[in-house]
Short mmCIF file of all heavy atoms in Angstrom, two decimals:
data_model
loop_
_atom_site.label_atom_id
_atom_site.label_comp_id
_atom_site.label_asym_id
_atom_site.label_seq_id
_atom_site.Cartn_x
_atom_site.Cartn_y
_atom_site.Cartn_z
N PRO J 19 3.85 -12.07 -13.75
CA PRO J 19 3.45 -13.52 -13.25
C PRO J 19 2.08 -13.85 -13.36
O PRO J 19 1.25 -12.95 -13.29
CB PRO J 19 3.95 -13.45 -11.84
CG PRO J 19 3.83 -11.99 -11.42
CD PRO J 19 4.11 -11.13 -12.67
N GLU J 21 0.57 -15.43 -11.05
CA GLU J 21 0.09 -15.30 -9.63
C GLU J 21 0.43 -13.91 -9.21
O GLU J 21 1.31 -13.14 -9.74
CB GLU J 21 0.78 -16.29 -8.79
CG GLU J 21 0.38 -17.70 -8.97
CD GLU J 21 1.10 -18.61 -8.05
OE1 GLU J 21 1.29 -18.18 -6.79
OE2 GLU J 21 1.39 -19.70 -8.40
N TYR J 25 6.38 -7.61 -5.37
CA TYR J 25 7.55 -7.03 -5.89
C TYR J 25 8.09 -7.75 -7.14
O TYR J 25 8.09 -8.98 -7.13
CB TYR J 25 8.61 -6.93 -4.85
CG TYR J 25 8.16 -6.05 -3.71
CD1 TYR J 25 7.67 -6.51 -2.49
CD2 TYR J 25 8.19 -4.60 -3.76
CE1 TYR J 25 7.35 -5.73 -1.48
CE2 TYR J 25 7.76 -3.78 -2.84
CZ TYR J 25 7.32 -4.23 -1.62
OH TYR J 25 6.81 -3.58 -0.63
N ARG J 27 6.13 -5.74 -8.95
CA ARG J 27 4.90 -5.15 -9.62
C ARG J 27 3.75 -4.81 -8.78
O ARG J 27 3.10 -5.82 -8.44
CB ARG J 27 4.52 -6.24 -10.68
CG ARG J 27 3.51 -5.93 -11.70
CD ARG J 27 3.28 -7.09 -12.67
NE ARG J 27 2.39 -8.20 -12.21
CZ ARG J 27 1.03 -8.09 -12.07
NH1 ARG J 27 0.50 -6.98 -12.31
NH2 ARG J 27 0.46 -9.09 -11.70
N PHE J 29 0.92 -1.39 -7.42
CA PHE J 29 0.41 0.08 -7.39
C PHE J 29 0.30 0.35 -5.82
O PHE J 29 -0.27 -0.36 -5.17
CB PHE J 29 -0.91 0.13 -8.03
CG PHE J 29 -1.45 1.58 -8.07
CD1 PHE J 29 -1.02 2.54 -8.94
CD2 PHE J 29 -2.32 1.98 -7.00
CE1 PHE J 29 -1.58 3.77 -8.94
CE2 PHE J 29 -2.89 3.29 -6.95
CZ PHE J 29 -2.45 4.15 -7.97
N GLY J 30 1.00 1.44 -5.43
CA GLY J 30 0.86 1.77 -4.06
C GLY J 30 0.30 3.27 -3.75
O GLY J 30 0.50 4.12 -4.45
N GLU J 47 -11.83 -5.96 5.64
CA GLU J 47 -12.27 -7.14 6.50
C GLU J 47 -13.83 -7.36 6.36
O GLU J 47 -14.19 -8.43 6.03
CB GLU J 47 -11.96 -6.82 7.92
CG GLU J 47 -10.55 -6.84 8.14
CD GLU J 47 -10.11 -6.34 9.53
OE1 GLU J 47 -10.95 -5.74 10.29
OE2 GLU J 47 -8.84 -6.51 9.95
#
Side-chain angles (χ1 to χ4, degrees):
E21 293 183 32
Y25 294 103
R27 189 177 79 72
F29 178 86
E47 291 169 348

